[in-house]
Amino acid sequence: MLNGVNNAGGRPRVHHAFLDWGTNDCRIWLLDQEGSIAERIESATGIQAVPKGGFENVLTEAVSDWRSTHGPLSILAAGMIGSRNGWVEMPYVPTPSGLADIARATRRVALQSGDVITFFPGLTDPNARPFPDVMRGEETQLAGLGLERDLVAVIPGGHAKWARIAGGRIESFQTFVTGETISCLVAHSFLARPAVRPAQTNIGAFERGLAIALNPDSSAGGLLARLFSLRTGWLAAGLMADEIADCLTGIITGWEFVEARDAGWFVAGDSVVIVGDGDRTDLYRRAAVASGLAPTIASAELGPRGALSILGAAGLS
Amino acid sequence: MLNGVNNAGGRPRVHHAFLDWGTNDCRIWLLDQEGSIAERIESATGIQAVPKGGFENVLTEAVSDWRSTHGPLSILAAGMIGSRNGWVEMPYVPTPSGLADIARATRRVALQSGDVITFFPGLTDPNARPFPDVMRGEETQLAGLGLERDLVAVIPGGHAKWARIAGGRIESFQTFVTGETISCLVAHSFLARPAVRPAQTNIGAFERGLAIALNPDSSAGGLLARLFSLRTGWLAAGLMADEIADCLTGIITGWEFVEARDAGWFVAGDSVVIVGDGDRTDLYRRAAVASGLAPTIASAELGPRGALSILGAAGLS
């Protein structure tokens, strides 16, 4: 049990902050006593902008106002800050793993400021082929979703994750390089060169892309062949310049679902939980429906709740 | 029959030049009487660098020395110069198509210089799914390979082509967006960010990528999932920074062969002709062998011979 500011006559209270320090940005959320997000700090000071050994100073400065107001903080740090390029390199806990397994691998460090930071481990799926798969940060989102219900969760992203929760544990997971392939091809390919980016997602164009990906005709080939539909669809079917980027997004997003189905993640009629917010989540919901799944949406901001659940499982709250 | 310079007492002779004017560069080859390449002009003045209406002047100037020496030229123009963004928009001839079918769709234009330019049509495969497929330029390479033998040809490239030649005709073809996906991801993805480009292709790393693509374990997913092996292979199997780019090339090239096999282009034990020169052709040969194919290599410089064959089929030499 961490001791923070003592309320006069009350039980000791400590304020938690959840730290999501990625490669290119830094988000810190001050949590209220229920674990909900009370205040937010966001900056463009990503891990790669901080010299080795400089993380403590940057963080201490970033949360100084909160410390002045609330006393020493308990900072919960998941994700890339615990990677080889981050502050400390945390281990990967092998699946299947429950809250207590993850909790046992956390590491607490007392900072000069009086704050205490708890680093969370990543997860590895040793049974994944061709190599053990890895995640960092998504495991706290999955813990926040709750491990009581058996389900399959999809976390969209540059490196999207599909994960199976069963028997109170994260049982297995797999990564798909979807967002990154989309953004590279939209920005840099000749195929997308005629593209004009509309201000808003063109849903019709996205769904044309989904239909291209999900077309069951095996003669249409896989992703590499279907991507050429951006050219042939332009010539043969009137695909417009302001539809190309969203159609490309639809082809690649749809193809993630084709791969996930073929790899055994679902059969038509299954349920799936999509973890995310905003436009991309809606596109994944559409891809799930088009693939015969029954999707529900969970907020991407599950990390704080998950981190507190993990600490609770270890009696560390 | 074009009349060029008259040799004293001999039959009329005309010198042919083969023009490959692409989006980003321009190559012109002077041919000898056997159709072999006698001289070369290469420049970075691609189609997109020439204003509409400016092609004739640029070409006339480029070949002026040859014209002075040999008299008016017969210029054979295949590929992107005959596209919507080029000099004239040539039609796509539907497959199956033989030399005479292609020849009927050529178009001759007399230039102010006295040269005559013959534009070649592209091909379309109306039975391709989800849209009719298209090629421009590769059809002259295939004609140069010869349509007498039944075979499957692979033409590597940004948009690689697989084509089936049968019964003296180009019967069907399919495009795979292989080279472009490789170059976008190598240059711009986070996955490849740690990559150090070696001076020469690291064949071992390429073959590790091939093995990742060709691994038959369906739980390993498709291309989007296997691409994450660049991260997990780095963590789990010691993939080095100077191996990442070639491993990525191996994964995507290998995946083209997986797609082509699944789309019905070959079964193990079949032969295939790879049309190309240089490093990339060697990588395709390795991918073919690893996929159970028996590959032979044909030079990429088949366009002139093919163009002359097409003209010959129309009695237009």
Side-chain angles (χ1 to χ4, degrees):
Chain A
M1 180 76 78
L2 274 179
N3 290 318
V5 177
N6 272 302
N7 295 320
R11 65 179 185 80
R13 283 176 51 175
V14 63
H15 276 77
H16 292 287
F18 184 80
L19 172 64
D20 176 10
W21 206 339
T23 304
N24 294 308
D25 54 13
C26 180
R27 295 182 296 176
I28 320 177
W29 299 333
L30 184 70
L31 308 182
D32 64 19
Q33 295 303 312
E34 285 71 47
S36 298
I37 299 169
E39 294 182 42
R40 298 164 186 262
I41 297 170
E42 305 200 353
S43 91
T45 307
I47 287 173
Q48 62 180 4
V50 178
K52 207 74 178 168
F55 293 107
E56 181 167 346
N57 282 345
V58 172
L59 178 63
T60 295
E61 172 64 23
V63 297
S64 61
D65 283 355
W66 292 347
R67 192 187 312 105
S68 300
T69 306
H70 303 291
L73 302 164
S74 164
I75 298 167
L76 313 174
M80 296 309 287
I81 190 65
S83 72
R84 197 172 294 185
N85 298 317
W87 189 333
V88 295
E89 184 173 358
M90 296 295 295
Y92 292 103
V93 174
T95 57
S97 50
L99 297 177
D101 304 306
I102 301 172
R104 268 194 294 278
T106 59
R107 181 170 156 197
R108 317 191 96 187
V109 176
L111 304 183
Q112 301 242 336
S113 62
D115 297 341
V116 171
I117 186 167
T118 303
F119 293 100
F120 288 76
L123 287 192
T124 183
D125 182 341
N127 298 314
R129 296 288 176 269
F131 301 112
D133 211 326
V134 291
M135 64 166 59
R136 282 205 186 277
E138 292 91 350
E139 71 293 327
T140 49
Q141 291 179 295
L142 294 170
L145 194 58
L147 305 187
E148 308 81 24
R149 278 184 308 147
D150 292 2
L151 56 82
V152 167
V154 181
I155 308 178
H159 303 161
K161 307 289 183 187
W162 286 64
R164 190 180 306 281
I165 295 173
R169 301 188 298 184
I170 301 169
E171 190 175 80
S172 59
F173 64 91
Q174 188 167 26
T175 304
F176 298 83
V177 185
T178 304
E180 211 170 58
T181 303
I182 292 170
S183 54
C184 284
L185 291 179
V186 166
H188 302 290
S189 69
F190 280 100
L191 271 183
R193 180 178 284 185
V196 174
R197 296 302 296 269
Q200 291 198 308
T201 301
N202 182 324
I203 296 293
F206 176 83
E207 294 200 325
R208 289 176 77 171
L210 275 187
I212 290 167
L214 301 178
N215 183 324
D217 190 332
S218 68
S219 79
L223 180 60
L224 295 173
R226 289 169 198 243
L227 281 173
F228 200 59
S229 298
L230 294 171
R231 174 69 50 83
T232 56
W234 178 63
L235 291 165
L239 190 70
M240 306 293 287
D242 64 357
E243 297 177 315
I244 289 177
D246 292 312
C247 183
L248 192 159
T249 302
I251 294 172
I252 299 178
T253 304
W255 195 253
E256 178 185 323
F257 282 77
V258 171
E259 290 195 18
R261 185 198 60 210
D262 292 350
W265 282 100
F266 70 89
V267 295
D270 284 355
S271 298
V272 68
V273 178
I274 299 169
V275 178
D277 301 295
D279 266 7
R280 181 160 58 186
T281 306
D282 181 60
L283 300 183
Y284 266 72
R285 183 187 61 74
R286 291 173 187 272
V289 170
S291 303
L293 281 161
T296 55
I297 309 293
S299 165
E301 295 185 342
L302 293 168
R305 191 191 307 172
L308 292 172
S309 296
I310 293 167
L311 288 191
L316 290 172
S317 70
Chain B
M1 180 75 81
L2 273 179
N3 289 319
V5 177
N6 272 303
N7 295 319
R11 66 179 185 80
R13 283 178 50 175
V14 62
H15 276 76
H16 292 288
F18 183 80
L19 171 63
D20 176 8
W21 205 339
T23 303
N24 294 306
D25 54 14
C26 180
R27 295 182 297 176
I28 320 176
W29 298 332
L30 184 70
L31 309 182
D32 64 20
Q33 295 303 314
E34 284 72 46
S36 298
I37 298 169
E39 294 182 46
R40 296 164 188 262
I41 295 171
E42 305 201 353
S43 91
T45 306
I47 287 173
Q48 62 179 4
V50 179
K52 205 75 177 168
F55 293 108
E56 180 166 348
N57 282 344
V58 173
L59 178 63
T60 295
E61 172 63 23
V63 298
S64 61
D65 283 356
W66 292 347
R67 191 185 314 103
S68 301
T69 306
H70 303 292
L73 302 165
S74 162
I75 299 168
L76 313 174
M80 296 309 288
I81 190 64
S83 72
R84 197 171 294 184
N85 298 318
W87 188 331
V88 294
E89 184 173 358
M90 296 295 294
Y92 292 104
V93 175
T95 57
S97 51
L99 297 177
D101 303 305
I102 301 173
R104 269 193 294 277
T106 58
R107 180 169 158 198
R108 318 190 98 185
V109 176
L111 304 183
Q112 301 244 335
S113 61
D115 297 341
V116 170
I117 184 166
T118 303
F119 293 99
F120 288 75
L123 287 193
T124 183
D125 182 341
N127 298 314
R129 295 288 175 269
F131 301 112
D133 211 327
V134 291
M135 63 166 61
R136 282 206 185 276
E138 292 90 351
E139 71 293 327
T140 48
Q141 291 179 296
L142 294 170
L145 193 57
L147 305 187
E148 308 82 24
R149 278 184 308 146
D150 291 2
L151 56 82
V152 168
V154 181
I155 308 179
H159 302 162
K161 307 289 182 187
W162 287 64
R164 190 180 306 280
I165 295 173
R169 302 188 296 183
I170 300 169
E171 189 175 80
S172 59
F173 64 90
Q174 188 167 26
T175 304
F176 298 84
V177 184
T178 304
E180 187 151 271
T181 303
I182 291 170
S183 54
C184 284
L185 291 179
V186 166
H188 302 291
S189 70
F190 280 98
L191 271 183
R193 181 179 281 187
V196 174
R197 298 300 298 267
Q200 291 197 310
T201 302
N202 183 325
I203 295 293
F206 176 83
E207 295 201 323
R208 289 177 76 173
L210 275 187
I212 289 167
L214 302 178
N215 183 323
D217 189 331
S218 66
S219 80
L223 179 59
L224 295 173
R226 289 170 198 244
L227 282 173
F228 200 59
S229 298
L230 294 170
R231 174 69 49 82
T232 56
W234 178 63
L235 291 164
L239 191 70
M240 307 294 287
D242 63 357
E243 297 177 316
I244 288 176
D246 292 313
C247 183
L248 192 160
T249 301
I251 293 172
I252 298 178
T253 304
W255 195 252
E256 177 184 324
F257 282 77
V258 170
E259 291 194 18
R261 185 198 60 210
D262 292 350
W265 283 100
F266 70 88
V267 295
D270 283 355
S271 298
V272 68
V273 178
I274 299 169
V275 178
D277 301 295
D279 266 6
R280 182 161 56 186
T281 306
D282 181 58
L283 300 183
Y284 266 71
R285 184 187 61 73
R286 290 173 187 274
V289 169
S291 303
L293 282 161
T296 56
I297 310 292
S299 166
E301 296 184 343
L302 292 168
R305 191 191 307 171
L308 291 173
S309 297
I310 293 166
L311 288 191
L316 291 172
S317 71

